Amino acid sequence: MLIQLPADTVPSEITPRAVFDKRREFLKGLAGTALAAALPKSACAGEKFSATLKSPWSTTETPTPYKSVTTYNNFYEFGTEKTDPAQLAQRMKTRPWQISIEGLVKHQKSFAIDDLIKMAPLEERIYRMRCVEGWSMVIPWLGLPLATLLKHVEPQGATKYVEFISAADPKTMPGVASAVLDWPYLEGLRLDEAMHPLTILAVGLYGEVLPNQNGAPLRLVVPWKYGFKGAKSIVKIRLTDREPWTAWMKAGPREYGFYSNVNPAVDHPRWSQATERRIGEFAKRRTLPFNGYAEQVAGLYTGMDLQKFF
Ligand code: MTE
């Protein structure tokens, strides 16, 4: 991200219409059935979740083809090329997988991923996603509100921020041998951002278990912020009273701020953020404040100078 200019390439791999329509029908079918989420038999990428809830938070925009969502990725633990994660992330083992919740909480806990998934019914959330490099996608995630997990562990009164720490295993992640970022990948949110109903922990996309390259088995999704806030393959969530010093802030403090709200009015020092290219489309679109979620989230930043707190 730091080292590449916005990519203008449009991936040629577009899911054929018939396959896409079949997926949509499948998802619609799921939404109408049982309420509780059920795990697939063996939680391998590509396995379907047997039930999901539809969410009022979803956009009605057309989702980006599955193929693009799963082959055009940023996951520097597996290399800095967009195609590296799809090729190399398959070596990462996502079962067994523990996620520990630490810091300023009443109940410090470690969850096995399959127990965490069962904590709440999984919801399909079709979100617009905007990458800081200038491309965007619409992704049908499956996940649970982060607030559900945080309420379960009960943040202490002094908690102001939440940190998300990704796996960094040199045995399976060739990218962590490079100094491109300070590993492990670390991201953070203010507590009220973390508790916002739009913020989810995703465990799937397109009705299926999350592919490794998209951050299996568990990743953060915050649709009104640039994509890098969405830490992948999380192993630790830490509640704290100090503003987290994120991996991207360490790499380029002038370029990447803590808030990283999508803001067409604040340029990246090396390029404009006013427009974006939706993957699969040719014409550029105007980028919307808070990625089009201003109505839901602008109130979190009342009175803040968003040029300063970028
Ligand atoms: N999480 C980890 N652990 N490592 C990364 O390199 N890249 C971020 C974010 N989460 C990244 C990460 C960036 S820059 C983006 S744009 C999104 O993941 C991309 O998510 P996607 O590949 O599912 O679209």
Side-chain angles (χ1 to χ4, degrees), residues 261-278:
N261 292 318
V262 173
N263 190 345
V266 174
D267 288 342
H268 184 280
R270 289 185 281 140
W271 57 78
S272 161
Q273 291 292 16
T275 60
E276 66 197 59
R277 192 186 297 286
R278 183 77 47 93

PDB file of all heavy atoms in Angstrom, residues 261-278:
ATOM      1  N   ASN A 261     -10.934   7.627   8.274  1.00  0.00           N
ATOM      2  CA  ASN A 261     -12.286   7.633   7.724  1.00  0.00           C
ATOM      3  C   ASN A 261     -12.208   7.984   6.241  1.00  0.00           C
ATOM      4  O   ASN A 261     -11.426   8.854   5.859  1.00  0.00           O
ATOM      5  CB  ASN A 261     -13.136   8.689   8.437  1.00  0.00           C
ATOM      6  CG  ASN A 261     -13.408   8.318   9.880  1.00  0.00           C
ATOM      7  OD1 ASN A 261     -13.689   7.161  10.176  1.00  0.00           O
ATOM      8  ND2 ASN A 261     -13.314   9.297  10.772  1.00  0.00           N
ATOM      9  N   VAL A 262     -13.015   7.329   5.422  1.00  0.00           N
ATOM     10  CA  VAL A 262     -13.009   7.654   3.994  1.00  0.00           C
ATOM     11  C   VAL A 262     -13.433   9.116   3.852  1.00  0.00           C
ATOM     12  O   VAL A 262     -14.517   9.504   4.303  1.00  0.00           O
ATOM     13  CB  VAL A 262     -13.957   6.716   3.212  1.00  0.00           C
ATOM     14  CG1 VAL A 262     -14.075   7.164   1.762  1.00  0.00           C
ATOM     15  CG2 VAL A 262     -13.469   5.273   3.303  1.00  0.00           C
ATOM     16  N   ASN A 263     -12.549   9.920   3.277  1.00  0.00           N
ATOM     17  CA  ASN A 263     -12.807  11.360   3.216  1.00  0.00           C
ATOM     18  C   ASN A 263     -12.259  11.943   1.920  1.00  0.00           C
ATOM     19  O   ASN A 263     -11.056  12.166   1.782  1.00  0.00           O
ATOM     20  CB  ASN A 263     -12.148  12.038   4.427  1.00  0.00           C
ATOM     21  CG  ASN A 263     -12.579  13.487   4.557  1.00  0.00           C
ATOM     22  OD1 ASN A 263     -13.138  14.061   3.621  1.00  0.00           O
ATOM     23  ND2 ASN A 263     -12.328  14.062   5.714  1.00  0.00           N
ATOM     24  N   PRO A 264     -13.171  12.192   0.951  1.00  0.00           N
ATOM     25  CA  PRO A 264     -12.707  12.706  -0.344  1.00  0.00           C
ATOM     26  C   PRO A 264     -12.047  14.078  -0.230  1.00  0.00           C
ATOM     27  O   PRO A 264     -11.327  14.495  -1.127  1.00  0.00           O
ATOM     28  CB  PRO A 264     -13.990  12.786  -1.175  1.00  0.00           C
ATOM     29  CG  PRO A 264     -15.113  12.756  -0.199  1.00  0.00           C
ATOM     30  CD  PRO A 264     -14.632  12.022   1.012  1.00  0.00           C
ATOM     31  N   ALA A 265     -12.290  14.780   0.896  1.00  0.00           N
ATOM     32  CA  ALA A 265     -11.740  16.130   1.062  1.00  0.00           C
ATOM     33  C   ALA A 265     -10.309  16.124   1.594  1.00  0.00           C
ATOM     34  O   ALA A 265      -9.646  17.150   1.587  1.00  0.00           O
ATOM     35  CB  ALA A 265     -12.630  16.937   2.003  1.00  0.00           C
ATOM     36  N   VAL A 266      -9.843  14.994   2.081  1.00  0.00           N
ATOM     37  CA  VAL A 266      -8.469  14.931   2.593  1.00  0.00           C
ATOM     38  C   VAL A 266      -7.654  14.011   1.684  1.00  0.00           C
ATOM     39  O   VAL A 266      -7.880  12.800   1.638  1.00  0.00           O
ATOM     40  CB  VAL A 266      -8.423  14.399   4.058  1.00  0.00           C
ATOM     41  CG1 VAL A 266      -6.987  14.207   4.528  1.00  0.00           C
ATOM     42  CG2 VAL A 266      -9.157  15.363   4.990  1.00  0.00           C
ATOM     43  N   ASP A 267      -6.741  14.619   0.932  1.00  0.00           N
ATOM     44  CA  ASP A 267      -5.907  13.829   0.026  1.00  0.00           C
ATOM     45  C   ASP A 267      -4.890  13.016   0.807  1.00  0.00           C
ATOM     46  O   ASP A 267      -4.433  13.422   1.875  1.00  0.00           O
ATOM     47  CB  ASP A 267      -5.124  14.754  -0.916  1.00  0.00           C
ATOM     48  CG  ASP A 267      -6.033  15.397  -1.956  1.00  0.00           C
ATOM     49  OD1 ASP A 267      -7.153  14.874  -2.166  1.00  0.00           O
ATOM     50  OD2 ASP A 267      -5.618  16.408  -2.542  1.00  0.00           O
ATOM     51  N   HIS A 268      -4.542  11.871   0.267  1.00  0.00           N
ATOM     52  CA  HIS A 268      -3.341  11.176   0.713  1.00  0.00           C
ATOM     53  C   HIS A 268      -2.188  12.060   0.237  1.00  0.00           C
ATOM     54  O   HIS A 268      -2.299  12.682  -0.827  1.00  0.00           O
ATOM     55  CB  HIS A 268      -3.307   9.800   0.027  1.00  0.00           C
ATOM     56  CG  HIS A 268      -2.177   8.932   0.469  1.00  0.00           C
ATOM     57  ND1 HIS A 268      -0.911   9.086  -0.028  1.00  0.00           N
ATOM     58  CD2 HIS A 268      -2.118   7.921   1.356  1.00  0.00           C
ATOM     59  CE1 HIS A 268      -0.117   8.192   0.544  1.00  0.00           C
ATOM     60  NE2 HIS A 268      -0.827   7.474   1.395  1.00  0.00           N
ATOM     61  N   PRO A 269      -1.086  12.180   0.992  1.00  0.00           N
ATOM     62  CA  PRO A 269      -0.028  13.102   0.555  1.00  0.00           C
ATOM     63  C   PRO A 269       0.476  12.841  -0.865  1.00  0.00           C
ATOM     64  O   PRO A 269       0.989  13.731  -1.516  1.00  0.00           O
ATOM     65  CB  PRO A 269       1.096  12.859   1.562  1.00  0.00           C
ATOM     66  CG  PRO A 269       0.430  12.298   2.760  1.00  0.00           C
ATOM     67  CD  PRO A 269      -0.784  11.553   2.284  1.00  0.00           C
ATOM     68  N   ARG A 270       0.281  11.593  -1.348  1.00  0.00           N
ATOM     69  CA  ARG A 270       0.805  11.308  -2.689  1.00  0.00           C
ATOM     70  C   ARG A 270      -0.268  11.159  -3.761  1.00  0.00           C
ATOM     71  O   ARG A 270       0.052  10.927  -4.910  1.00  0.00           O
ATOM     72  CB  ARG A 270       1.695  10.063  -2.638  1.00  0.00           C
ATOM     73  CG  ARG A 270       3.006  10.331  -1.915  1.00  0.00           C
ATOM     74  CD  ARG A 270       3.944   9.137  -1.970  1.00  0.00           C
ATOM     75  NE  ARG A 270       3.569   8.121  -0.999  1.00  0.00           N
ATOM     76  CZ  ARG A 270       3.600   6.814  -1.245  1.00  0.00           C
ATOM     77  NH1 ARG A 270       3.941   6.381  -2.424  1.00  0.00           N
ATOM     78  NH2 ARG A 270       3.288   5.955  -0.295  1.00  0.00           N
ATOM     79  N   TRP A 271      -1.526  11.217  -3.406  1.00  0.00           N
ATOM     80  CA  TRP A 271      -2.575  11.142  -4.424  1.00  0.00           C
ATOM     81  C   TRP A 271      -3.903  11.635  -3.855  1.00  0.00           C
ATOM     82  O   TRP A 271      -4.089  11.721  -2.637  1.00  0.00           O
ATOM     83  CB  TRP A 271      -2.712   9.714  -4.983  1.00  0.00           C
ATOM     84  CG  TRP A 271      -2.996   8.638  -3.966  1.00  0.00           C
ATOM     85  CD1 TRP A 271      -4.195   8.376  -3.382  1.00  0.00           C
ATOM     86  CD2 TRP A 271      -2.069   7.689  -3.418  1.00  0.00           C
ATOM     87  NE1 TRP A 271      -4.072   7.316  -2.503  1.00  0.00           N
ATOM     88  CE2 TRP A 271      -2.785   6.875  -2.514  1.00  0.00           C
ATOM     89  CE3 TRP A 271      -0.710   7.424  -3.617  1.00  0.00           C
ATOM     90  CZ2 TRP A 271      -2.185   5.830  -1.807  1.00  0.00           C
ATOM     91  CZ3 TRP A 271      -0.117   6.387  -2.904  1.00  0.00           C
ATOM     92  CH2 TRP A 271      -0.848   5.598  -2.011  1.00  0.00           C
ATOM     93  N   SER A 272      -4.816  11.956  -4.780  1.00  0.00           N
ATOM     94  CA  SER A 272      -6.143  12.451  -4.373  1.00  0.00           C
ATOM     95  C   SER A 272      -7.001  11.288  -3.878  1.00  0.00           C
ATOM     96  O   SER A 272      -6.843  10.153  -4.308  1.00  0.00           O
ATOM     97  CB  SER A 272      -6.809  13.095  -5.590  1.00  0.00           C
ATOM     98  OG  SER A 272      -8.201  13.178  -5.383  1.00  0.00           O
ATOM     99  N   GLN A 273      -7.933  11.592  -2.993  1.00  0.00           N
ATOM    100  CA  GLN A 273      -8.890  10.569  -2.538  1.00  0.00           C
ATOM    101  C   GLN A 273     -10.304  10.900  -3.031  1.00  0.00           C
ATOM    102  O   GLN A 273     -11.275  10.326  -2.545  1.00  0.00           O
ATOM    103  CB  GLN A 273      -8.889  10.474  -1.003  1.00  0.00           C
ATOM    104  CG  GLN A 273      -7.617   9.907  -0.412  1.00  0.00           C
ATOM    105  CD  GLN A 273      -7.392   8.430  -0.733  1.00  0.00           C
ATOM    106  OE1 GLN A 273      -8.021   7.857  -1.633  1.00  0.00           O
ATOM    107  NE2 GLN A 273      -6.493   7.812  -0.009  1.00  0.00           N
ATOM    108  N   ALA A 274     -10.395  11.841  -4.011  1.00  0.00           N
ATOM    109  CA  ALA A 274     -11.709  12.343  -4.416  1.00  0.00           C
ATOM    110  C   ALA A 274     -12.516  11.333  -5.230  1.00  0.00           C
ATOM    111  O   ALA A 274     -13.741  11.357  -5.207  1.00  0.00           O
ATOM    112  CB  ALA A 274     -11.539  13.629  -5.211  1.00  0.00           C
ATOM    113  N   THR A 275     -11.821  10.454  -5.957  1.00  0.00           N
ATOM    114  CA  THR A 275     -12.547   9.491  -6.789  1.00  0.00           C
ATOM    115  C   THR A 275     -12.027   8.084  -6.523  1.00  0.00           C
ATOM    116  O   THR A 275     -10.988   7.892  -5.901  1.00  0.00           O
ATOM    117  CB  THR A 275     -12.376   9.791  -8.293  1.00  0.00           C
ATOM    118  OG1 THR A 275     -10.983   9.718  -8.612  1.00  0.00           O
ATOM    119  CG2 THR A 275     -12.917  11.154  -8.660  1.00  0.00           C
ATOM    120  N   GLU A 276     -12.776   7.127  -7.044  1.00  0.00           N
ATOM    121  CA  GLU A 276     -12.383   5.722  -6.864  1.00  0.00           C
ATOM    122  C   GLU A 276     -12.780   4.936  -8.104  1.00  0.00           C
ATOM    123  O   GLU A 276     -13.637   5.364  -8.876  1.00  0.00           O
ATOM    124  CB  GLU A 276     -13.079   5.125  -5.638  1.00  0.00           C
ATOM    125  CG  GLU A 276     -14.593   5.022  -5.802  1.00  0.00           C
ATOM    126  CD  GLU A 276     -15.331   4.832  -4.486  1.00  0.00           C
ATOM    127  OE1 GLU A 276     -15.202   5.716  -3.600  1.00  0.00           O
ATOM    128  OE2 GLU A 276     -16.030   3.817  -4.361  1.00  0.00           O
ATOM    129  N   ARG A 277     -12.154   3.798  -8.286  1.00  0.00           N
ATOM    130  CA  ARG A 277     -12.563   2.916  -9.381  1.00  0.00           C
ATOM    131  C   ARG A 277     -13.120   1.627  -8.771  1.00  0.00           C
ATOM    132  O   ARG A 277     -12.418   0.904  -8.082  1.00  0.00           O
ATOM    133  CB  ARG A 277     -11.379   2.585 -10.290  1.00  0.00           C
ATOM    134  CG  ARG A 277     -11.817   1.923 -11.596  1.00  0.00           C
ATOM    135  CD  ARG A 277     -10.620   1.480 -12.419  1.00  0.00           C
ATOM    136  NE  ARG A 277      -9.768   2.576 -12.848  1.00  0.00           N
ATOM    137  CZ  ARG A 277     -10.061   3.448 -13.815  1.00  0.00           C
ATOM    138  NH1 ARG A 277     -11.213   3.363 -14.449  1.00  0.00           N
ATOM    139  NH2 ARG A 277      -9.205   4.388 -14.138  1.00  0.00           N
ATOM    140  N   ARG A 278     -14.412   1.408  -9.018  1.00  0.00           N
ATOM    141  CA  ARG A 278     -15.042   0.162  -8.562  1.00  0.00           C
ATOM    142  C   ARG A 278     -14.494  -0.971  -9.407  1.00  0.00           C
ATOM    143  O   ARG A 278     -14.515  -0.888 -10.634  1.00  0.00           O
ATOM    144  CB  ARG A 278     -16.559   0.316  -8.718  1.00  0.00           C
ATOM    145  CG  ARG A 278     -17.453  -0.781  -8.271  1.00  0.00           C
ATOM    146  CD  ARG A 278     -17.701  -0.929  -6.806  1.00  0.00           C
ATOM    147  NE  ARG A 278     -18.032   0.164  -5.945  1.00  0.00           N
ATOM    148  CZ  ARG A 278     -19.251   0.591  -5.612  1.00  0.00           C
ATOM    149  NH1 ARG A 278     -20.312   0.030  -6.136  1.00  0.00           N
ATOM    150  NH2 ARG A 278     -19.422   1.573  -4.753  1.00  0.00           N
TER     151      ARG A 278
END
